[in-house]
Amino acid sequence: MADIVKISQEETSDLAKLAERFHAALALPISGMRLAMQELVGADLTDNLNVNAPEWLVDGTNFDSDVWSCYFGLTNNKPVVKIVSFDIYLANGSCLLDPENSNVLKWIKLFLSVQIHPQFNGGARRGAKYEQIVFIRALKFVDWLLLNDSAHFDIGNLGFSMVSINDITSFLVESISTPIEESLYSYPKRLERWLRFRIGTVSSADIARITEQFPEMLTLPMKSDRALGLTDQELVKARVHIHLEGLYDYCPEGRRYNPRPFIQQEYRNTLHGVYMMPRVLPDLSIGQADTREFPGVPIKQNPTSGLTLQSIRNFLRVVGKVAVVEGFYNVHGVSPTGVGRLNAKKLFELALQKSTGRIVTLPYAAMVHALGESFEYIYSYKDIVFDAVLKILHDANSLNNRVTNVDLDLLVGRDPRYEGARNAQIEAWFKPRDRFADGMFYADLRSRKYLYCSYMVLMGAFLIVIGSLVSRRQSELIDLDATECLDPPDNPYLEQNKNKSYCLLYLGRKTGSRTQHVTMSLGITLPLAKILWDFMQFRRSCERFGFVNSSSSLLMVPDARGLGMLPMTAHFYNAAIDYACDYFESYTAIVDDRVCRYYIRQHQLRRFSVLLLYHTGGGGLDLIRHVLGHADVEHVYNYLTESMPGATLELAKAEAITDYLYDGDETISGLEWLKTRILKTHSSQDFVFRTIEEVRRGYAPLVVRGLKRTHIPLCDVLDLERCLSEILTLVKSRIIDLTPDYFEYIAEGGNVEQRFNFVIKILGES
């Protein structure tokens, strides 16, 4: 067994050395690992390992309590808490609190405790929100064990002895993708099964009665947009069943299914899953934006993994604590064997191989068409639409909430104050989207008949323009500040400001903490600054007249009743772009023998703009990383190359390798082997970066004057084109590959930055 070196009390303060020794201990056999762990801690520190009464357990709870009340501290003066109940049942029918399960329960509690125990986290407590996030990750790992109890582990009889390193690898690769409610908890699949079982009680009379009262129940989303595998008939039954059970909640977008009773029943034997809040499924939602003119071109080729290298690293740190439980507390549970050898980068590569589903990149022509139409609509109708919407809001509120859509239709259609709107063919206020069955709505939409719809088209056009030009995340645009999103905050229409450089200010979603983000800036053009200023002015007018409060963000949509403005949500965001795509008649494609329309999404706009920037030579990986707001350069590289056709990527790699050869670049690992191989094949001594014609022009005068002799036909000179052809053959044959090798280094100021070198990998000889 490897020698165990005891470290002194002074050495424990050096966290880097301690971490290095800790990982070395993980690589030892279990018996040696336990001794090594104890030696690392030292006899004088063992008292600090006590977990019986951690300070973060409050309200009279302690380690042995059946329910934990966890308090991690304050964030923005708000308590950060978590409740955990261990009163759950295992697959064999026994309760986790039963005496026969005491060892399993103790292991789970220790595993959760060591995640935030100071002794195993640098000697000090961390921030409240950070501790809560780490603690919940540990709960999710335990939930994964519990959810697989019946099928794989038989925890009630065998404890955690059946959990292998392959199972843990599967968890890290397949069960932590975003959204985790789907990858780990299988929420849509379980809900689908649950609904199928219950809709058998729905009668034909129930369906006829409820759908006659609420005909919007029959307006179903396109199958490509659904999350559940229910047929149309089953989906209508499911909606009627939910209505009969009183599980629809009213919201500004319409009615949403309340899944809380289902979750409490289905996930009652989990520690965290019972509290989850899954995304709203379009299948069961009933509202204004449930319909589009055509099915949508799928925005994903297949369900994407939603997995990042950082998320694997985060969960790997959590799972790594299984070694602490066994090494320090001598409690056997999930075996730590092999956990120390798991590598986040290799796991991420494995996940990428398993998941080919990526966001579909918009065709160039479709994007240019949408962008051009959006600019034209904004310039043509923004002033008319803004003015008319402000009038409607004022008139509707002056009627003391007794207003109806008919009243508003009459105002727009007849009141002299709306003459400007009528000149733009706007004749009425609103037509509910659950009345599309008459077949005239989309013709009316494109003739700008309804003011509400015209506003939604305007908002969709703005989102297409700003979304494609600034490449921000959807959430970052939704949260734009109403008064401070433009820097400098000066009117760009004024002559004295036309030469100013304007920036968009936004809160970077992947900066700071989950509750506090860093304000970032991105340069924008003067035309975009003017459009942004117009939306800011409209927002100021809404606040001045009392239609919104001062804390509202920049982007808003009208209440269909005309009584005010509603805050922008992801639902409204996508609905507005859908309105714009149908108005502009964005490009279509044949998918599975059906005509489908490109209903654009923000991630596609973001991807398109950075790909255009990169492939037109506008920026390297570091610039693209800054524009995207990604810290992980490996993520950016995958982002740029994943949408390239295989042949295009192979040619790009071959061209890059050829350039490296002729430039004599000595920083590329593997280049010397390739150079030797090609020179040997052609009996040459070196590479010359010249074409055949350049060689002929350079040597011909010398040969004619007798100053130079040559017996080598010019056709035998290893020119650039022939070299590229040979390298391309090697790449296509998978004999070599050009890949980035990533590494981290500590920059000035102590910041850890990620960089990469290109490496020519030798995969095999033909």
Side-chain angles (χ1 to χ4, degrees), residues 112-308:
L112 297 174
S113 298
V114 299
Q115 302 297 331
I116 55 177
H117 195 297
Q119 190 59 43
F120 310 109
N121 293 281
R125 292 285 302 275
R126 302 294 185 90
K129 198 65 181 178
Y130 175 85
E131 287 190 344
Q132 183 196 50
I133 292 170
V134 171
F135 189 78
I136 289 176
R137 286 186 189 129
L139 288 173
K140 290 174 179 176
F141 177 67
V142 175
D143 277 357
W144 172 77
L145 296 171
L146 296 170
L147 291 169
N148 287 278
D149 180 12
S150 176
H152 300 292
F153 301 142
D154 193 10
I155 297 171
N157 295 313
L158 303 175
F160 295 116
S161 61
M162 297 301 293
V163 183
S164 69
I165 191 64
N166 288 337
D167 293 321
I168 294 175
T169 298
S170 176
F171 166 74
L172 293 169
V173 170
E174 299 174 359
S175 300
I176 63 172
S177 306
T178 302
I180 205 165
E181 292 81 9
E182 298 178 18
S183 63
L184 173 58
Y185 294 101
S186 302
Y187 168 71
K189 291 182 180 179
R190 288 172 176 260
L191 178 59
E192 177 186 324
R193 185 174 61 223
W194 186 79
L195 286 170
R196 274 207 174 98
F197 178 76
R198 280 157 179 77
I199 61 178
T201 62
V202 178
S203 67
S204 299
D206 290 331
I207 296 174
R209 177 170 53 86
I210 299 303
T211 55
E212 182 180 4
Q213 185 179 1
F214 302 101
E216 60 268 27
M217 289 267 188
L218 298 173
T219 303
L220 305 179
M222 300 297 179
K223 290 184 178 180
S224 59
D225 294 335
R226 300 182 194 177
L228 304 176
L230 301 176
T231 65
D232 288 355
Q233 184 179 10
E234 289 173 331
L235 188 51
V236 171
K237 281 188 173 184
R239 290 179 166 196
V240 171
H241 168 75
I242 292 170
H243 174 83
L244 292 173
E245 294 294 317
L247 295 178
Y248 270 122
D249 292 336
Y250 285 88
C251 62
E253 297 92 333
R255 282 184 285 169
R256 291 179 178 176
Y257 166 57
N258 177 6
R260 184 53 46 199
F262 162 73
I263 290 173
Q264 290 175 341
Q265 172 66 24
E266 186 74 11
Y267 299 98
R268 64 190 181 280
N269 292 319
T270 63
L271 302 184
H272 176 70
V274 71
Y275 300 108
M276 70 176 173
M277 294 184 292
R279 68 184 177 98
V280 176
L281 300 183
D283 313 53
L284 304 176
S285 298
I286 301 172
Q288 304 172 21
D290 292 327
T291 313
R292 300 186 295 199
E293 187 173 17
F294 291 99
V297 174
I299 63 171
K300 297 178 182 178
Q301 296 167 345
N302 283 307
T304 181
S305 69
L307 193 63
T308 66

Side-chain angles (χ1 to χ4, degrees), residues 57 132 183 250 361 426 509 572 690 757:
L57 286 180
Q132 183 196 50
S183 63
Y250 285 88
T361 302
I426 297 173
R509 273 289 169 168
F572 282 139
R690 292 182 182 177
N757 288 326

Side-chain angles (χ1 to χ4, degrees), residues 129 207 261 410 415 436 458 487 516 527 641 666 716 740:
K129 198 65 181 178
I207 296 174
L410 291 173
D415 193 299
F436 290 177
L458 175 63
D487 182 41
Q516 290 181 313
T641 59
E666 298 179 356
D716 290 341

Side-chain angles (χ1 to χ4, degrees), residues 180 325 415 466 541 719:
I180 205 165
V325 177
D415 193 299
I466 193 171
S541 297
D719 63 284

